[in-house]
Amino acid sequence: MEAIQFIQDMAVILAVAGVVGWVCQRLGLSTVVGYLVAGVVVGPHTPPFALVTDVPRVETLAQLGLIFLMFSIGMRLSVRKLQRLGFTLLIAVSASAGIIFALTRLLGVACGLSSIETLFLAGMLMVSSSAIISKVLADCGATHERSGQLAMGVFVLEDVVAVVMLTLLNSIVQFGEAGRAAQIGQTIGMLGAFIVLAGIAGMILVPWLLRRMSISVDDELQTLGLGGLLFGLALLAQKAGYSTALGAFLLGTIVAETPQRAQVERIFEGMKGIFTAVFFVAIGMQIDPRALAGVAVPVIGLSVFTIIVRTVACSIGLTLIGTPVKDALRTGLMVLPIGEFSFIIAQLGVDSGVIPAHYYPLVVGLSLVTTLAAPVVTRRSDFLAATIIRSYPRWFAAWLETYRGWLDRLALQQKKNVLWQLSRKRFIQIGVGMLFVTGLLLFSERLFAVVVGAVGKDWLFPNGPEILFWMALTLVASIPLFAIWRNLGAMALLYAEVSSRGHSKEGKLRPFIEQGLRILSGAGMFVWLATILPVEGAAKWLLPFIGLVAVTVFLFLRRKLIYWHSEAEVEIQEMLSPARPAMSATAAPWLQSNDEWNLAVIDCVIPDLADCRGSSIKDLRLRSLFGSTVVGIERQGYMISLPTPETVLYPRDKVLLMGTSEQVRSGAGFLQTVTGAGSEDDRFEEVRMEKILLDRGAAATGQSLGLVAPAKRFGVQVAGIHRGGMRLLNPSASEVLVPGDEMLVLGAPAQILAFRQWLREPVPEGLK
């Protein structure tokens, strides 16, 4: 009976979510809003009766939805994308988050909120909704404008901010507010170590696994394998002391670097849609409509605060890195809506009891208001930005121009700094290596507990797992440690060369400086390892053991270690090296609208049953009918730049159109038209081969296959002809049919029947 009740609850949830989501979509709103409203409608707080009774079980499914949602968010973020966005945009987003945090603290003090309530509120306001903003930008045709591209880059990096905030807030929930100051630095350090450890291991193993599965197994088994990997990494993150959402997010970022990304997106598309909807519906189910009405005034006030603060903070952050003021203001006006991450943060605080329950309806109401305001503000962002700029005093505008000039000169000087250019990559490699080793050692005891739980304490011989585990751990750690030492040695040589150049005693000074830097580096590595090494059990002998192994390895396996390190480094660099870009806002920066020329660039996806599917660009006549031009197609993650007129459009193609605003909108509407006209049943599984005997006097007698044209006229293919004991396979178009030929034809039953009936028609008397 419980199973039937659960099926009934799921039917109600999905049906109501689908209907309300469709209504919101027709109104130009995000489907996320529809899912939240659906949750309120079917939830236990809606009178006169609750449509869903088994709320705890639905919440369990919502956790699955959270994993799929975080996985899809991680798929939008990759190291390549971060490289394209640039380090400066990361600085801008960090500055924006800091400004929002500072202003929210002032608001919390003014409203009498506790410090932990203020911290959770700041976390909710610091992160925008990528799902809502993407839809608003697409609907407003601003996706490929410079400000729209900046907005997409901002919300991608704000996802990183959200992951860090979730980890910090989760740490506060675990350790309490009193230990916040002492734990925050350690939490961030351990988070970085875990991300690098899981990231490097994942970038080595996951692409290899996906490549093998794509070759040897079908889509069904690939789905099972990747699903197991997804939940496995989510569980690993939870065992490491973090949320399952972090593990799913990390796997998404790793898969985003692989060539199988488009295939994975296709495999999980339906499953992600269902469970993500359940996640948002479950959030709505926890909201009492009366409580939502009770916080109406705070929602309005907080919405005004959010719109102003997010616009100001984002604009200041982008201006700090040299973005033109108008573009910075327009971008700030485009990243107003808050959504999925804000709900997750509110859920964490309410479920743990550290913030009051009314924060749930508060954040939902805030999301609804900012989502409703986003399309209006985005469409008028150019006018609003121009109005704000006109109000600037002259001295402020002159100061901004001076500041941008200073940034340009600073960037030019940095490019000319040869020492920095040569050492920058080595600094990054050293930092990543140190985080990897730190994560390996910090989480070693938890890994060891898993090993002992699996094989026992005295496997093979007394204390065997303990000895073997620490030996294996030492060998694994020695590879990045050796790489760190090589990079430090190379930098010591480089800095010794630069610092001693031109000195009167250059020959003696250079080796002295180099050896001094090596000694300092070695001492630093010793202090670092002594700080992070475990000090219990056999692990306390790990430091001298590492030293002994390092000396042994250096003497006997030095070349092998260099080879292993180089192989791993090359494989990771190949993954992170710029590849043929897919068509996206950050991958195609040349696709920007130009206000002076009144040009716009928008993209649209060809529906599965679109009338234009299977037609070439030339046949569609988009340019002559609407004035719009197809300038790019993304097909299964592959970018076709400037396609030829003969290029055929297929379902799920993402087509990039260029023209005036009216032209591209008309063209997109035409491409997405679905009338059902000309659609046929799927007859692929019915295709078969049959034998047809050509009688004397049949219509095809004495004609060549090219003249009969069975493929063009009837949709059948003549695969072979049996004539006088001889079999002709795949006969050419010049082959003449004679009476008595036995033809082997390929086609659907109706097509073969039509061809057979035509063959039986007698030849007219005048043609004999």
Side-chain angles (χ1 to χ4, degrees):
M1 187 63 185
E2 290 184 2
I4 297 299
Q5 189 64 52
F6 174 69
I7 293 174
Q8 175 183 320
D9 292 343
M10 286 299 297
V12 170
I13 288 174
L14 295 179
V16 175
V19 171
V20 180
W22 176 79
V23 172
C24 288
Q25 190 178 59
R26 297 289 294 177
L27 295 175
L29 301 176
S30 171
T31 53
V32 173
V33 177
Y35 299 152
L36 293 172
V37 174
V40 175
V41 171
V42 305
H45 304 291
T46 305
F49 55 88
L51 298 177
V52 175
T53 57
D54 197 352
V55 177
R57 189 174 296 182
V58 173
E59 291 176 351
T60 301
L61 284 178
Q63 292 300 314
L64 297 179
L66 175 61
I67 291 176
F68 282 107
L69 175 64
M70 295 300 295
F71 177 67
S72 63
I73 291 175
M75 295 253 316
R76 292 198 300 265
L77 177 69
S78 65
V79 179
R80 285 198 195 116
K81 181 172 287 188
L82 291 176
Q83 290 174 342
R84 291 195 297 266
L85 293 174
F87 181 71
T88 55
L89 189 58
L90 180 60
I91 295 176
V93 172
S94 301
S96 173
I99 294 171
I100 295 174
F101 178 77
L103 294 177
T104 307
R105 287 196 65 184
L106 294 177
L107 177 67
V109 172
C111 296
L113 302 178
S114 66
S115 59
I116 194 166
E117 287 182 66
T118 303
L119 186 60
F120 270 85
L121 180 60
M124 299 173 200
L125 302 185
M126 287 164 62
V127 187
S128 58
S129 171
S130 55
I132 297 175
I133 296 175
S134 298
K135 176 175 175 53
V136 171
L137 291 176
D139 292 342
C140 297
T143 303
H144 297 284
E145 296 181 3
R146 175 171 172 77
S147 53
Q149 293 175 354
L150 286 172
M152 297 182 77
V154 167
F155 71 62
V156 164
L157 292 178
E158 282 186 340
D159 291 342
V160 180
V161 174
V163 170
V164 176
M165 283 299 299
L166 274 173
T167 305
L168 293 177
L169 294 174
N170 189 55
S171 175
I172 292 173
V173 169
Q174 291 181 359
F175 299 108
E177 188 178 1
R180 182 180 62 188
Q183 294 291 337
I184 188 169
Q186 180 182 354
T187 300
I188 293 178
M190 291 187 66
L191 173 64
F194 175 78
I195 289 176
V196 171
L197 175 63
I200 291 179
M203 282 191 292
I204 294 175
L205 297 178
V206 172
W208 174 84
L209 182 61
L210 291 178
R211 187 165 56 248
R212 297 300 302 172
M213 287 196 301
S214 65
I215 295 173
S216 57
V217 300
D218 57 17
D219 286 350
E220 180 181 357
L221 295 180
Q222 290 181 51
T223 304
L224 294 177
L226 193 58
L229 194 62
L230 173 60
F231 289 105
L233 190 53
L235 181 62
L236 179 64
Q238 195 274 336
K239 294 292 185 181
Y242 304 105
S243 66
T244 55
L246 176 61
F249 180 83
L250 285 177
L251 182 62
T253 59
I254 293 170
V255 173
E257 298 290 348
T258 65
Q260 291 80 18
R261 174 183 176 179
Q263 182 181 9
V264 172
E265 285 181 335
R266 185 181 71 251
I267 289 174
F268 279 95
E269 186 175 7
M271 195 181 304
K272 181 200 72 175
I274 291 176
F275 284 107
T276 300
V278 172
F279 167 73
F280 286 113
V281 171
I283 289 179
M285 289 171 60
Q286 301 179 48
I287 299 172
D288 188 343
R290 291 165 295 184
L292 190 60
V295 295
V297 175
V299 164
I300 295 175
L302 190 58
S303 298
V304 174
F305 174 82
T306 302
I307 291 173
I308 296 174
V309 167
R310 285 197 58 82
T311 301
V312 171
C314 183
S315 302
I316 292 176
L318 291 173
T319 303
L320 286 175
I321 63 172
T323 304
V325 179
K326 187 175 182 180
D327 289 333
L329 285 170
R330 291 193 65 191
T331 303
L333 292 167
M334 292 177 178
V335 293
L336 301 181
I338 66 171
E340 51 270 13
F341 272 114
S342 302
F343 301 144
I344 297 171
I345 291 174
Q347 185 181 42
L348 173 65
V350 172
D351 291 348
S352 60
V354 297
I355 60 175
H358 69 263
Y359 271 76
Y360 243 141
L362 184 67
V363 72
V364 171
L366 179 59
S367 176
L368 291 174
V369 174
T370 53
T371 300
L372 291 172
V376 179
V377 175
T378 299
R379 289 191 178 95
R380 298 182 61 83
S381 60
D382 187 70
F383 169 77
L384 294 173
T387 303
I388 295 173
I389 291 174
R390 283 196 298 268
S391 65
Y392 284 172
R394 291 185 178 180
W395 65 267
F396 185 67
W399 180 85
L400 287 177
E401 289 298 324
T402 304
Y403 176 72
R404 287 194 63 195
W406 176 76
L407 286 179
D408 293 338
R409 291 192 299 272
L410 184 64
L412 185 61
Q413 291 176 0
Q414 186 179 15
K415 289 182 179 179
K416 292 181 179 180
N417 191 334
V418 179
L419 182 61
W420 168 248
Q421 296 297 327
L422 292 175
S423 57
R424 181 180 58 181
K425 289 186 178 181
R426 294 195 180 273
F427 274 123
I428 296 175
Q429 292 174 359
I430 291 172
V432 171
M434 291 182 67
L435 284 174
F436 178 81
V437 175
T438 300
L440 193 65
L441 295 179
L442 287 179
F443 297 101
S444 59
E445 294 182 353
R446 298 177 188 178
L447 292 174
F448 176 64
V450 173
V451 173
V452 172
V455 301
K457 184 180 179 181
D458 296 321
W459 181 63
L460 295 181
F461 52 87
N463 296 321
E466 186 173 14
I467 296 174
L468 294 176
F469 176 82
W470 293 114
M471 288 180 64
L473 185 71
T474 301
L475 182 61
V476 172
S478 62
I479 299 176
L481 286 173
F482 184 70
I484 293 172
W485 179 248
R486 287 184 65 204
N487 281 314
L488 288 172
M491 290 183 61
L493 178 62
L494 176 63
Y495 279 85
E497 177 71 27
V498 173
S499 59
S500 62
R501 183 176 301 170
H503 197 275
S504 58
K505 297 183 179 180
E506 179 179 349
K508 295 181 179 180
L509 187 60
R510 187 191 303 118
F512 177 77
I513 296 176
E514 181 183 352
Q515 293 303 320
L517 291 174
R518 286 179 179 272
I519 292 173
L520 288 176
S521 300
M525 288 185 64
F526 179 84
V527 173
W528 162 56
L529 290 173
T531 303
I532 62 175
L533 281 173
V535 293
E536 297 180 356
K540 63 185 177 181
W541 301 105
L542 193 59
L543 184 60
F545 185 59
I546 285 180
L548 179 62
V549 170
V551 173
T552 305
V553 166
F554 183 79
L555 293 177
F556 297 100
L557 298 176
R558 181 172 180 271
R559 293 187 176 181
K560 199 67 175 178
L561 273 180
I562 294 175
Y563 173 76
W564 289 341
H565 168 254
S566 300
E567 285 288 313
E569 187 175 7
V570 167
E571 185 169 350
I572 293 175
Q573 286 180 352
E574 284 181 352
M575 285 185 57
L576 304 183
S577 61
R580 185 179 182 93
M583 185 177 62
S584 65
T586 55
W590 50 276
L591 298 173
Q592 301 173 4
S593 77
N594 192 313
D595 296 335
E596 298 177 359
W597 292 85
N598 190 28
L599 281 178
V601 177
I602 66 171
D603 57 69
C604 64
V605 178
I606 305 297
D608 289 324
L609 300 178
D611 294 348
C612 68
R613 70 190 192 278
S615 301
S616 66
I617 298 174
K618 178 178 63 177
D619 294 336
L620 294 174
R621 299 188 299 154
L622 291 172
R623 189 162 188 171
S624 60
L625 292 176
F626 308 104
S628 55
T629 304
V630 178
V631 295
I633 300 173
E634 182 183 343
R635 180 173 298 160
Q636 295 294 321
Y638 183 82
M639 175 67 177
I640 305 174
S641 299
L642 302 176
T644 63
E646 289 73 24
T647 303
V648 177
L649 299 183
Y650 296 103
R652 313 311 300 170
D653 280 354
K654 182 184 286 187
V655 180
L656 200 66
L657 294 173
M658 183 177 68
T660 65
S661 299
E662 296 77 12
Q663 290 171 345
V664 294
R665 289 184 181 278
S666 300
F670 174 75
L671 292 178
Q672 293 181 313
T673 300
V674 178
T675 63
S679 61
E680 299 180 356
D681 296 333
D682 184 9
R683 295 176 293 183
F684 183 81
E685 295 182 356
E686 299 180 7
V687 173
R688 64 191 184 193
M689 289 193 292
E690 288 189 15
K691 297 177 183 179
I692 298 178
L693 183 63
L694 188 63
D695 297 330
R696 185 177 300 275
T701 302
Q703 300 184 31
S704 67
L705 284 176
L707 185 61
V708 174
K712 183 177 181 180
R713 297 169 65 178
F714 304 98
V716 300
Q717 175 70 35
V718 177
I721 298 175
H722 186 197
R723 179 184 300 159
M726 296 180 59
R727 287 184 173 87
L728 304 175
L729 298 179
N730 296 320
S732 65
S734 61
E735 189 67 38
V736 177
L737 299 176
V738 298
D741 282 351
E742 186 181 57
M743 294 182 293
L744 184 65
V745 297
L746 178 71
Q751 296 169 332
I752 296 175
L753 179 61
F755 183 52
R756 186 191 298 273
Q757 291 175 346
W758 178 80
L759 288 174
R760 289 175 179 173
E761 294 179 1
V763 180
E765 291 293 334
L767 298 179
K768 289 185 179 179

